[in-house]
Coordinates of all heavy atoms in Angstrom, one line a residue:
M1 N 2.7 1.0 -21.5 CA 2.4 0.7 -20.1 C 1.9 2.0 -19.4 O 2.5 3.1 -19.5 CB 3.7 0.3 -19.4 CG 3.7 0.0 -18.0 SD 3.3 -1.6 -17.3 CE 4.3 -2.7 -18.2
S2 N 0.8 1.9 -18.7 CA 0.3 3.0 -17.9 C 0.7 2.9 -16.5 O 1.0 1.8 -16.0 CB -1.3 3.0 -17.9 OG -1.8 3.1 -19.2
R3 N 0.8 4.0 -15.8 CA 1.2 4.0 -14.4 C 0.0 4.4 -13.5 O -0.7 5.4 -13.8 CB 2.3 5.0 -14.2 CG 2.9 5.1 -12.8 CD 4.0 4.0 -12.6 NE 4.5 4.1 -11.3 CZ 4.9 3.1 -10.6 NH1 4.9 1.9 -11.1 NH2 5.3 3.2 -9.4
V4 N -0.2 3.6 -12.5 CA -1.3 3.9 -11.5 C -0.6 4.2 -10.2 O 0.2 3.4 -9.7 CB -2.2 2.7 -11.3 CG1 -3.2 2.9 -10.1 CG2 -3.0 2.4 -12.6
E5 N -0.9 5.4 -9.6 CA -0.4 5.8 -8.3 C -1.5 6.3 -7.5 O -2.3 7.1 -7.9 CB 0.7 6.9 -8.5 CG 1.9 6.5 -9.2 CD 3.2 6.8 -8.5 OE1 3.2 7.4 -7.4 OE2 4.3 6.5 -9.1
V6 N -1.5 5.8 -6.3 CA -2.6 6.2 -5.3 C -1.8 6.6 -4.0 O -0.9 5.9 -3.6 CB -3.5 5.0 -5.0 CG1 -4.5 5.4 -4.0 CG2 -4.2 4.5 -6.3
A7 N -2.2 7.7 -3.4 CA -1.5 8.2 -2.2 C -2.5 8.5 -1.2 O -3.7 8.8 -1.5 CB -0.7 9.5 -2.6
R8 N -2.1 8.5 0.1 CA -2.9 8.8 1.2 C -2.1 9.2 2.4 O -1.0 8.7 2.6 CB -3.7 7.6 1.6 CG -4.7 7.8 2.7 CD -5.7 6.7 2.8 NE -6.7 7.1 3.8 CZ -8.0 7.3 3.5 NH1 -8.4 7.1 2.3 NH2 -8.8 7.6 4.5
H9 N -2.6 10.2 3.2 CA -2.0 10.6 4.4 C -2.5 9.7 5.5 O -3.6 9.3 5.6 CB -2.3 12.0 4.8 CG -1.6 12.5 6.0 ND1 -0.3 12.8 6.1 CD2 -2.1 12.6 7.3 CE1 0.0 13.1 7.3 NE2 -1.1 13.0 8.1
V10 N -1.6 9.2 6.3 CA -1.9 8.3 7.5 C -1.5 9.0 8.8 O -0.3 9.5 8.9 CB -1.2 6.9 7.3 CG1 -1.5 6.0 8.5 CG2 -1.6 6.3 6.0
A11 N -2.4 9.0 9.7 CA -2.1 9.7 11.0 C -1.4 8.7 11.9 O -1.9 8.4 13.0 CB -3.4 10.1 11.6
A12 N -0.2 8.3 11.5 CA 0.7 7.5 12.3 C 2.1 7.7 11.8 O 2.3 8.1 10.7 CB 0.3 6.0 12.2
D13 N 3.1 7.4 12.6 CA 4.4 7.5 12.2 C 4.8 6.4 11.2 O 4.2 5.4 11.2 CB 5.4 7.5 13.4 CG 5.4 6.2 14.2 OD1 4.5 6.1 15.0 OD2 6.2 5.4 13.9
P14 N 5.8 6.6 10.4 CA 6.2 5.6 9.4 C 6.5 4.3 9.9 O 6.2 3.3 9.3 CB 7.4 6.3 8.7 CG 7.3 7.7 8.9 CD 6.6 7.9 10.3
A15 N 7.2 4.2 11.1 CA 7.6 2.9 11.7 C 6.3 2.1 12.1 O 6.3 0.9 11.9 CB 8.5 3.1 12.9
S16 N 5.3 2.8 12.6 CA 4.1 2.1 12.9 C 3.4 1.5 11.7 O 2.8 0.4 11.7 CB 3.1 3.1 13.7 OG 3.7 3.4 14.9
V17 N 3.4 2.3 10.6 CA 2.7 1.8 9.4 C 3.5 0.7 8.8 O 3.0 -0.3 8.3 CB 2.6 3.0 8.4 CG1 2.1 2.5 7.1 CG2 1.6 4.1 8.9
A18 N 4.9 0.7 8.9 CA 5.7 -0.4 8.4 C 5.4 -1.7 9.2 O 5.4 -2.7 8.7 CB 7.2 0.0 8.6
L19 N 5.2 -1.5 10.5 CA 4.8 -2.7 11.3 C 3.5 -3.3 10.9 O 3.3 -4.5 10.9 CB 4.8 -2.3 12.8 CG 6.1 -2.1 13.5 CD1 5.9 -1.5 14.9 CD2 6.9 -3.4 13.5
L20 N 2.5 -2.4 10.6 CA 1.2 -2.9 10.0 C 1.4 -3.6 8.7 O 0.8 -4.7 8.5 CB 0.2 -1.8 9.9 CG -0.3 -1.1 11.1 CD1 -1.1 0.1 10.8 CD2 -1.1 -2.1 12.0
L21 N 2.3 -3.1 7.9 CA 2.6 -3.8 6.6 C 3.2 -5.2 6.9 O 2.9 -6.1 6.2 CB 3.5 -2.9 5.7 CG 2.8 -1.7 5.1 CD1 3.9 -0.8 4.4 CD2 1.7 -2.1 4.2
A22 N 4.1 -5.2 7.9 CA 4.7 -6.5 8.2 C 3.7 -7.5 8.7 O 3.8 -8.7 8.3 CB 5.8 -6.3 9.3
E23 N 2.7 -7.1 9.4 CA 1.6 -8.0 9.8 C 0.9 -8.5 8.6 O 0.5 -9.7 8.6 CB 0.7 -7.2 10.8 CG 1.3 -7.0 12.2 CD 0.3 -6.2 13.1 OE1 -0.9 -6.1 12.7 OE2 0.8 -5.7 14.1
L24 N 0.6 -7.6 7.7 CA -0.2 -8.0 6.5 C 0.7 -9.0 5.7 O 0.1 -9.9 5.1 CB -0.5 -6.8 5.6 CG -1.6 -5.9 6.2 CD1 -1.7 -4.6 5.4 CD2 -2.9 -6.6 6.3
A25 N 2.0 -8.8 5.6 CA 2.9 -9.7 4.9 C 2.8 -11.1 5.5 O 2.8 -12.1 4.8 CB 4.3 -9.1 4.8
A26 N 2.7 -11.1 6.8 CA 2.7 -12.4 7.5 C 1.4 -13.1 7.3 O 1.3 -14.3 7.3 CB 2.9 -12.2 9.0
E27 N 0.3 -12.3 7.0 CA -1.0 -12.9 6.7 C -1.1 -13.4 5.3 O -2.0 -14.2 5.0 CB -2.1 -11.9 7.0 CG -2.3 -11.5 8.4 CD -3.3 -10.4 8.6 OE1 -3.9 -9.9 7.6 OE2 -3.4 -9.9 9.7
D28 N -0.1 -13.0 4.5 CA -0.1 -13.5 3.1 C -1.3 -13.1 2.3 O -1.9 -14.0 1.6 CB 0.2 -15.0 3.0 CG 0.7 -15.4 1.6 OD1 1.4 -14.6 1.0 OD2 0.4 -16.5 1.2
G29 N -1.7 -11.9 2.3 CA -2.9 -11.4 1.5 C -3.8 -10.5 2.2 O -3.7 -10.3 3.5
T30 N -4.6 -9.8 1.5 CA -5.5 -8.8 2.1 C -6.9 -9.1 1.4 O -7.1 -9.8 0.5 CB -5.1 -7.4 1.8 OG1 -5.3 -7.1 0.4 CG2 -3.7 -7.1 2.2
D31 N -7.9 -8.3 1.9 CA -9.2 -8.4 1.4 C -9.4 -7.6 0.1 O -10.4 -7.5 -0.5 CB -10.2 -7.9 2.4 CG -10.3 -8.8 3.6 OD1 -10.0 -10.0 3.5 OD2 -10.8 -8.4 4.7
H32 N -8.3 -6.9 -0.3 CA -8.4 -6.0 -1.4 C -7.7 -6.5 -2.7 O -7.4 -5.7 -3.6 CB -7.9 -4.6 -1.0 CG -8.5 -4.1 0.2 ND1 -9.8 -3.7 0.3 CD2 -8.0 -4.1 1.5 CE1 -10.1 -3.4 1.5 NE2 -9.1 -3.6 2.3
G33 N -7.4 -7.8 -2.7 CA -6.7 -8.4 -3.9 C -5.2 -8.1 -3.9 O -4.6 -8.3 -5.0
L34 N -4.7 -7.5 -2.9 CA -3.2 -7.2 -2.8 C -2.5 -8.1 -1.9 O -3.0 -8.4 -0.8 CB -3.1 -5.7 -2.4 CG -3.5 -4.7 -3.4 CD1 -3.5 -3.3 -2.7 CD2 -2.7 -4.6 -4.6
V35 N -1.3 -8.4 -2.3 CA -0.3 -9.1 -1.4 C 0.9 -8.2 -1.2 O 1.4 -7.6 -2.2 CB 0.1 -10.5 -2.0 CG1 1.1 -11.2 -1.2 CG2 -1.1 -11.4 -2.3
V36 N 1.3 -8.1 0.0 CA 2.4 -7.2 0.4 C 3.6 -8.0 1.0 O 3.3 -9.0 1.7 CB 2.0 -6.1 1.3 CG1 1.5 -6.6 2.6 CG2 3.1 -5.1 1.5
T37 N 4.8 -7.7 0.6 CA 5.9 -8.3 1.3 C 6.4 -7.5 2.5 O 5.9 -6.4 2.7 CB 7.2 -8.4 0.3 OG1 7.6 -7.1 0.0 CG2 6.8 -9.2 -1.0
S38 N 7.2 -8.1 3.3 CA 7.7 -7.4 4.5 C 8.4 -6.1 4.0 O 9.2 -6.1 3.1 CB 8.7 -8.2 5.2 OG 8.0 -9.4 5.8
P39 N 8.1 -5.0 4.7 CA 8.8 -3.7 4.4 C 10.2 -3.7 4.7 O 10.7 -4.4 5.6 CB 8.0 -2.7 5.2 CG 7.4 -3.5 6.3 CD 7.2 -4.9 5.9
R40 N 10.9 -2.9 4.0 CA 12.4 -2.7 4.2 C 12.6 -1.2 4.3 O 11.8 -0.4 3.8 CB 13.2 -3.3 3.0 CG 12.9 -2.6 1.7 CD 13.4 -3.3 0.5 NE 13.2 -2.6 -0.7 CZ 12.0 -2.4 -1.3 NH1 10.9 -2.9 -0.8 NH2 11.9 -1.7 -2.5
R41 N 13.7 -0.8 4.9 CA 14.1 0.6 5.0 C 14.4 1.1 3.6 O 15.0 0.5 2.8 CB 15.4 0.7 5.8 CG 15.2 1.0 7.3 CD 14.7 2.4 7.4 NE 14.7 2.8 8.8 CZ 14.1 3.8 9.2 NH1 13.4 4.6 8.4 NH2 14.1 4.2 10.5
A42 N 13.9 2.3 3.4 CA 14.2 3.0 2.1 C 14.4 4.5 2.4 O 13.4 5.2 2.6 CB 13.0 2.8 1.1
G43 N 15.6 4.9 2.5 CA 15.9 6.2 2.9 C 15.4 6.5 4.3 O 15.8 5.8 5.3
I44 N 14.6 7.6 4.5 CA 14.1 7.9 5.8 C 12.7 7.3 6.0 O 12.0 7.5 7.0 CB 14.0 9.4 6.0 CG1 13.1 10.1 4.9 CG2 15.4 10.0 6.0 CD1 12.8 11.5 5.2
G45 N 12.3 6.4 5.1 CA 11.0 5.7 5.2 C 11.1 4.2 5.0 O 12.1 3.7 5.3
F46 N 10.1 3.7 4.5 CA 10.0 2.2 4.3 C 9.4 2.0 2.9 O 8.6 2.8 2.4 CB 9.2 1.5 5.4 CG 9.7 1.7 6.7 CD1 9.4 2.8 7.5 CD2 10.6 0.8 7.2 CE1 9.9 3.0 8.8 CE2 11.1 1.0 8.5 CZ 10.8 2.1 9.3
A47 N 9.7 0.8 2.4 CA 9.1 0.4 1.1 C 8.8 -1.1 1.1 O 9.5 -1.9 1.9 CB 10.0 0.7 -0.1
A48 N 7.8 -1.6 0.4 CA 7.5 -3.0 0.3 C 7.0 -3.3 -1.1 O 6.4 -2.4 -1.8 CB 6.5 -3.4 1.3
R49 N 7.1 -4.5 -1.5 CA 6.6 -4.9 -2.8 C 5.1 -5.2 -2.7 O 4.7 -5.8 -1.7 CB 7.4 -6.1 -3.3 CG 6.9 -6.7 -4.6 CD 7.8 -7.9 -4.9 NE 7.1 -8.7 -5.8 CZ 7.6 -9.5 -6.8 NH1 8.9 -9.4 -6.9 NH2 6.9 -10.2 -7.6
L50 N 4.3 -4.9 -3.7 CA 2.9 -5.2 -3.7 C 2.6 -6.0 -5.0 O 3.3 -5.8 -6.0 CB 2.1 -3.9 -3.9 CG 1.9 -3.0 -2.7 CD1 1.1 -1.8 -3.1 CD2 1.2 -3.7 -1.6
E51 N 1.7 -7.0 -4.8 CA 1.3 -7.7 -6.0 C -0.2 -7.6 -6.0 O -0.9 -7.7 -5.0 CB 1.7 -9.2 -5.9 CG 3.2 -9.4 -6.0 CD 3.5 -10.9 -5.8 OE1 2.7 -11.7 -5.7 OE2 4.7 -11.1 -5.9
F52 N -0.8 -7.4 -7.2 CA -2.2 -7.3 -7.4 C -2.6 -8.3 -8.5 O -2.0 -8.3 -9.6 CB -2.6 -5.9 -7.9 CG -4.0 -5.7 -8.2 CD1 -4.9 -5.4 -7.2 CD2 -4.5 -5.7 -9.5 CE1 -6.3 -5.2 -7.4 CE2 -5.9 -5.5 -9.7 CZ -6.7 -5.3 -8.7
V53 N -3.6 -9.1 -8.2 CA -4.0 -10.1 -9.2 C -5.1 -9.4 -10.0 O -6.2 -9.1 -9.6 CB -4.6 -11.4 -8.5 CG1 -5.1 -12.3 -9.5 CG2 -3.6 -12.0 -7.6
H54 N -4.7 -9.2 -11.3 CA -5.5 -8.5 -12.2 C -6.5 -9.4 -13.0 O -6.4 -10.6 -12.9 CB -4.6 -7.7 -13.2 CG -5.2 -6.6 -13.9 ND1 -6.3 -6.6 -14.7 CD2 -4.9 -5.3 -13.9 CE1 -6.6 -5.4 -15.1 NE2 -5.7 -4.6 -14.7
A55 N -7.4 -8.9 -13.7 CA -8.3 -9.6 -14.5 C -7.6 -10.7 -15.4 O -6.5 -10.4 -15.9 CB -9.1 -8.7 -15.5
G56 N -8.1 -11.9 -15.4 CA -7.5 -13.0 -16.2 C -6.4 -13.6 -15.4 O -5.7 -14.5 -15.9
G57 N -6.1 -13.3 -14.2 CA -5.1 -13.9 -13.3 C -3.7 -13.3 -13.5 O -2.8 -13.8 -12.8
A58 N -3.6 -12.3 -14.3 CA -2.3 -11.6 -14.4 C -1.9 -11.0 -13.1 O -2.7 -10.3 -12.5 CB -2.3 -10.6 -15.5
V59 N -0.6 -11.1 -12.7 CA -0.1 -10.5 -11.5 C 0.7 -9.3 -11.8 O 1.6 -9.3 -12.6 CB 0.8 -11.5 -10.7 CG1 1.3 -10.8 -9.4 CG2 0.0 -12.7 -10.3
L60 N 0.2 -8.1 -11.3 CA 0.9 -6.9 -11.5 C 1.8 -6.6 -10.3 O 1.3 -6.8 -9.1 CB -0.1 -5.7 -11.7 CG -1.1 -5.8 -12.8 CD1 -2.0 -4.6 -12.8 CD2 -0.4 -6.0 -14.1
V61 N 3.0 -6.2 -10.5 CA 3.9 -6.0 -9.4 C 4.1 -4.5 -9.2 O 4.3 -3.7 -10.2 CB 5.3 -6.6 -9.6 CG1 6.3 -6.3 -8.5 CG2 5.1 -8.1 -9.7
G62 N 4.0 -4.0 -8.0 CA 4.1 -2.6 -7.7 C 4.9 -2.4 -6.4 O 5.5 -3.3 -5.9
E63 N 4.8 -1.2 -5.9 CA 5.5 -0.9 -4.6 C 4.7 0.1 -3.8 O 4.0 0.9 -4.3 CB 6.9 -0.2 -5.0 CG 7.7 0.0 -3.8 CD 9.1 0.6 -4.1 OE1 9.2 1.6 -4.8 OE2 10.1 0.0 -3.7
I64 N 4.8 -0.1 -2.5 CA 4.2 0.8 -1.5 C 5.4 1.5 -0.8 O 6.3 0.8 -0.4 CB 3.2 0.1 -0.6 CG1 2.5 1.1 0.3 CG2 3.9 -1.0 0.3 CD1 1.3 0.6 1.1
V65 N 5.3 2.8 -0.7 CA 6.3 3.6 0.0 C 5.7 4.4 1.1 O 4.6 5.0 0.9 CB 7.0 4.6 -1.0 CG1 8.0 5.5 -0.3 CG2 7.6 3.8 -2.2
V66 N 6.3 4.3 2.3 CA 5.8 5.0 3.5 C 6.9 6.0 3.8 O 8.1 5.7 4.0 CB 5.7 4.1 4.7 CG1 5.1 4.8 5.9 CG2 4.7 2.9 4.3
A67 N 6.6 7.3 3.9 CA 7.5 8.4 4.1 C 7.0 9.4 5.1 O 5.8 9.6 5.2 CB 7.9 9.1 2.8
P68 N 7.8 10.0 5.9 CA 7.4 11.0 6.9 C 6.7 12.2 6.1 O 7.2 12.5 5.0 CB 8.6 11.5 7.6 CG 9.7 10.4 7.3 CD 9.3 9.8 6.0
S69 N 5.7 12.7 6.6 CA 5.1 13.9 6.0 C 5.7 15.2 6.6 O 6.4 15.1 7.7 CB 3.6 13.9 6.1 OG 3.2 14.1 7.4
S70 N 5.4 16.3 6.1 CA 5.9 17.6 6.6 C 5.2 17.9 7.9 O 5.8 18.6 8.8 CB 5.7 18.7 5.6 OG 4.4 18.8 5.3
G71 N 4.0 17.4 8.2 CA 3.3 17.6 9.4 C 3.4 16.3 10.2 O 4.3 15.5 10.1
E72 N 2.3 16.1 11.0 CA 2.2 14.8 11.7 C 1.9 13.7 10.8 O 1.2 13.8 9.8 CB 1.2 14.9 12.8 CG 1.6 15.9 13.9 CD 0.6 15.9 15.1 OE1 -0.1 14.9 15.3 OE2 0.5 16.9 15.8
G73 N 2.2 12.5 11.2 CA 1.9 11.3 10.4 C 2.9 11.0 9.3 O 4.0 11.4 9.3
C74 N 2.4 10.3 8.3 CA 3.2 10.0 7.2 C 2.4 9.9 5.9 O 1.1 9.9 5.9 CB 3.9 8.6 7.4 SG 2.8 7.2 7.6
D75 N 3.1 9.9 4.8 CA 2.4 9.8 3.5 C 2.7 8.4 2.9 O 3.9 7.9 3.0 CB 2.9 10.9 2.5 CG 2.5 12.2 3.0 OD1 1.4 12.4 3.4 OD2 3.4 13.1 3.0
V76 N 1.7 7.7 2.4 CA 1.8 6.4 1.9 C 1.4 6.5 0.4 O 0.4 7.0 0.1 CB 0.9 5.4 2.7 CG1 1.1 4.0 2.1 CG2 1.3 5.4 4.1
R77 N 2.2 5.9 -0.5 CA 2.0 5.9 -1.9 C 2.1 4.5 -2.4 O 3.1 3.8 -2.2 CB 2.9 6.8 -2.6 CG 2.8 6.9 -4.1 CD 3.8 7.9 -4.7 NE 5.1 7.9 -4.1 CZ 6.1 7.1 -4.4 NH1 5.9 6.1 -5.2 NH2 7.2 7.2 -3.8
A78 N 1.1 4.0 -3.2 CA 1.2 2.7 -3.9 C 1.2 3.0 -5.4 O 0.5 3.8 -5.9 CB 0.0 1.9 -3.5
G79 N 2.1 2.3 -6.1 CA 2.2 2.5 -7.5 C 2.4 1.1 -8.3 O 3.0 0.2 -7.7
F80 N 1.7 1.1 -9.4 CA 1.8 -0.1 -10.3 C 2.0 0.3 -11.7 O 1.4 1.3 -12.2 CB 0.5 -0.9 -10.2 CG 0.2 -1.6 -8.9 CD1 -0.5 -1.0 -7.9 CD2 0.7 -2.9 -8.7 CE1 -0.7 -1.6 -6.7 CE2 0.4 -3.5 -7.5 CZ -0.3 -2.9 -6.5
G81 N 2.7 -0.5 -12.5 CA 2.7 -0.4 -13.9 C 1.6 -1.3 -14.5 O 1.5 -2.5 -14.1
V82 N 0.7 -0.8 -15.3 CA -0.4 -1.6 -15.9 C -0.3 -1.7 -17.4 O -0.1 -0.6 -18.0 CB -1.8 -1.0 -15.5 CG1 -2.9 -1.8 -16.1 CG2 -1.9 -0.8 -14.0
P83 N -0.3 -2.9 -18.0 CA -0.2 -3.0 -19.4 C -1.3 -2.2 -20.1 O -2.4 -2.1 -19.6 CB -0.4 -4.5 -19.7 CG 0.0 -5.2 -18.4 CD -0.4 -4.2 -17.3
D84 N -0.9 -1.6 -21.3 CA -1.9 -0.7 -22.0 C -3.2 -1.4 -22.4 O -4.2 -0.8 -22.5 CB -1.2 -0.2 -23.2 CG -0.1 0.9 -22.9 OD1 -0.3 1.5 -21.8 OD2 0.8 1.0 -23.7
D85 N -3.1 -2.8 -22.5 CA -4.3 -3.5 -22.9 C -5.2 -3.9 -21.7 O -6.2 -4.7 -21.9 CB -4.0 -4.7 -23.8 CG -3.1 -5.7 -23.1 OD1 -2.5 -5.3 -22.0 OD2 -2.9 -6.8 -23.6
S86 N -4.8 -3.5 -20.5 CA -5.6 -3.8 -19.3 C -6.3 -2.6 -18.7 O -5.7 -1.5 -18.7 CB -4.6 -4.4 -18.3 OG -4.0 -5.6 -18.7
P87 N -7.4 -2.8 -18.1 CA -8.1 -1.7 -17.5 C -7.4 -1.3 -16.2 O -6.9 -2.2 -15.4 CB -9.5 -2.2 -17.2 CG -9.4 -3.7 -17.2 CD -8.2 -4.0 -18.1
I88 N -7.3 0.0 -15.9 CA -6.6 0.5 -14.7 C -7.6 0.7 -13.5 O -7.1 0.7 -12.4 CB -5.8 1.8 -15.0 CG1 -6.8 2.9 -15.4 CG2 -4.8 1.6 -16.0 CD1 -6.1 4.3 -15.4
Q89 N -8.9 0.8 -13.8 CA -9.8 1.1 -12.7 C -9.8 0.0 -11.6 O -9.8 0.4 -10.4 CB -11.2 1.2 -13.2 CG -11.5 2.4 -14.1 CD -11.0 2.2 -15.5 OE1 -10.6 1.1 -15.9 NE2 -11.1 3.3 -16.3
P90 N -9.7 -1.3 -11.9 CA -9.7 -2.3 -10.8 C -8.4 -2.1 -9.9 O -8.5 -2.3 -8.7 CB -9.7 -3.6 -11.5 CG -10.3 -3.3 -12.8 CD -9.9 -2.0 -13.2
V91 N -7.3 -1.7 -10.6 CA -6.1 -1.5 -9.8 C -6.2 -0.3 -8.9 O -5.8 -0.3 -7.8 CB -4.9 -1.4 -10.8 CG1 -3.6 -1.2 -10.0 CG2 -4.8 -2.6 -11.7
E92 N -6.7 0.8 -9.5 CA -6.9 2.0 -8.7 C -7.8 1.7 -7.5 O -7.5 2.2 -6.4 CB -7.5 3.1 -9.5 CG -6.5 3.7 -10.5 CD -7.2 4.7 -11.4 OE1 -8.3 4.6 -11.8 OE2 -6.4 5.7 -11.8
R93 N -8.9 1.0 -7.7 CA -9.9 0.7 -6.7 C -9.3 -0.2 -5.6 O -9.4 0.1 -4.4 CB -11.1 0.0 -7.2 CG -12.1 1.0 -7.8 CD -13.5 0.3 -8.1 NE -13.4 -0.9 -8.9 CZ -13.5 -0.8 -10.3 NH1 -13.7 0.3 -10.9 NH2 -13.4 -1.9 -11.0
G94 N -8.5 -1.2 -6.0 CA -7.9 -2.1 -5.0 C -6.8 -1.4 -4.2 O -6.8 -1.5 -3.0
A95 N -6.0 -0.6 -4.9 CA -5.0 0.2 -4.1 C -5.6 1.2 -3.2 O -5.1 1.4 -2.1 CB -4.0 0.8 -5.1
S96 N -6.6 1.9 -3.7 CA -7.3 2.9 -2.8 C -7.9 2.3 -1.6 O -7.8 2.8 -0.5 CB -8.4 3.7 -3.6 OG -7.8 4.5 -4.6
A97 N -8.6 1.1 -1.8 CA -9.2 0.4 -0.7 C -8.2 -0.1 0.3 O -8.4 0.0 1.5 CB -10.1 -0.7 -1.2
F98 N -7.0 -0.6 -0.2 CA -6.0 -1.1 0.6 C -5.4 0.1 1.5 O -5.2 -0.1 2.7 CB -4.9 -1.7 -0.3 CG -3.7 -2.1 0.5 CD1 -3.7 -3.3 1.2 CD2 -2.5 -1.4 0.5 CE1 -2.6 -3.7 2.0 CE2 -1.4 -1.8 1.2 CZ -1.4 -3.0 1.9
L99 N -5.1 1.2 0.9 CA -4.6 2.4 1.6 C -5.6 2.9 2.6 O -5.2 3.3 3.8 CB -4.1 3.5 0.7 CG -2.9 3.2 -0.2 CD1 -2.5 4.4 -1.0 CD2 -1.8 2.6 0.6
A100 N -6.9 2.9 2.3 CA -7.9 3.4 3.2 C -8.0 2.4 4.4 O -8.1 2.9 5.6 CB -9.3 3.5 2.5
A101 N -7.9 1.1 4.2 CA -8.0 0.2 5.3 C -6.7 0.3 6.1 O -6.8 0.2 7.4 CB -8.1 -1.2 4.7
L102 N -5.6 0.5 5.5 CA -4.3 0.7 6.3 C -4.4 1.9 7.2 O -4.0 1.8 8.3 CB -3.1 0.8 5.3 CG -1.7 0.8 5.9 CD1 -1.4 -0.5 6.6 CD2 -0.7 1.1 4.7
A103 N -4.9 3.0 6.6 CA -5.0 4.2 7.4 C -6.0 4.0 8.6 O -5.7 4.5 9.7 CB -5.5 5.4 6.5
A104 N -7.1 3.4 8.3 CA -8.1 3.1 9.4 C -7.5 2.2 10.5 O -7.7 2.5 11.7 CB -9.4 2.5 8.8
H105 N -6.8 1.2 10.1 CA -6.2 0.3 11.0 C -5.1 1.1 11.9 O -5.0 0.9 13.1 CB -5.5 -0.9 10.3 CG -5.2 -2.0 11.2 ND1 -6.1 -2.7 11.9 CD2 -4.0 -2.6 11.5 CE1 -5.5 -3.6 12.6 NE2 -4.2 -3.6 12.4
A106 N -4.3 1.9 11.2 CA -3.3 2.7 12.0 C -4.0 3.7 13.0 O -3.5 3.8 14.1 CB -2.5 3.5 11.0
K107 N -5.1 4.2 12.5 CA -5.8 5.2 13.4 C -6.4 4.4 14.6 O -6.3 4.9 15.7 CB -7.0 5.9 12.6 CG -7.7 6.9 13.4 CD -8.7 7.6 12.5 CE -9.5 8.7 13.3 NZ -10.4 9.4 12.4
S108 N -7.0 3.3 14.4 CA -7.6 2.5 15.5 C -6.5 2.1 16.5 O -6.7 2.0 17.7 CB -8.4 1.3 15.0 OG -7.5 0.3 14.4
R109 N -5.3 1.7 16.0 CA -4.2 1.3 16.8 C -3.8 2.5 17.7 O -3.4 2.4 18.8 CB -3.0 0.9 16.0 CG -3.2 -0.5 15.5 CD -2.1 -1.4 16.3 NE -2.3 -2.8 15.9 CZ -1.4 -3.5 15.3 NH1 -0.2 -2.9 15.0 NH2 -1.6 -4.8 15.1
A110 N -3.8 3.7 17.1 CA -3.3 4.9 17.8 C -4.3 5.2 19.0 O -3.8 5.6 20.0 CB -3.2 6.1 16.9
F111 N -5.6 5.1 18.7 CA -6.5 5.3 19.8 C -6.5 4.3 20.9 O -6.8 4.5 22.0 CB -7.9 5.4 19.2 CG -8.2 6.7 18.5 CD1 -8.5 6.8 17.2 CD2 -8.1 7.9 19.2 CE1 -8.8 7.9 16.5 CE2 -8.3 9.1 18.6 CZ -8.6 9.2 17.2
A112 N -6.1 3.0 20.5 CA -6.0 2.0 21.5 C -4.8 2.1 22.4 O -4.8 1.6 23.5 CB -6.0 0.6 20.8
A113 N -3.8 2.8 22.0 CA -2.6 2.9 22.8 C -2.7 3.9 23.8 O -3.3 4.5 24.5 CB -1.4 3.4 21.9

């Protein structure tokens, strides 16, 4: 089993990002092939389950973790276990695109406030 981890800094506080994840969970899917569950408290941050529909219809289960960063904003990390006989590039691309869209949405919300 290979491990895929993608991380990104988001210019928003962890609670705001958790609220965005809750909105995505209510929509039941994203444009990036990922489905997220409602986030839950995890220590000083938040975590949620992620599902990625992989080639051939296999569903990979992972987790997204939102944690305060040492500076402003927060750090978001998505991780998946990928079977050794499956390509990891689609999972990396999907997770990266998801985190980029999440960061952009958080930034646009911050400017709107």
Side-chain angles (χ1 to χ4, degrees):
M1 175 93 46
S2 299
R3 183 86 181 146
V4 171
E5 294 229 3
V6 178
R8 183 163 186 121
H9 180 78
V10 177
D13 63 275
S16 295
V17 175
L19 287 172
L20 291 174
L21 289 173
E23 288 177 17
L24 291 173
E27 293 172 6
D28 197 31
T30 70
D31 294 337
H32 308 289
L34 290 169
V35 176
V36 62
T37 63
S38 294
R40 65 192 182 288
R41 267 287 190 194
I44 59 171
F46 299 88
R49 179 182 159 144
L50 286 174
E51 293 180 358
F52 180 80
V53 180
H54 203 299
V59 177
L60 302 180
V61 176
E63 184 175 55
I64 186 167
V65 176
V66 181
S69 68
S70 57
E72 291 186 26
C74 62
D75 295 316
V76 182
R77 181 180 34 82
F80 289 92
V82 180
D84 289 332
D85 60 345
S86 297
I88 63 171
Q89 292 82 4
V91 180
E92 288 176 326
R93 280 193 302 271
S96 291
F98 176 77
L99 292 186
L102 184 66
H105 195 62
K107 185 177 180 179
S108 70
R109 281 249 175 118
F111 284 120

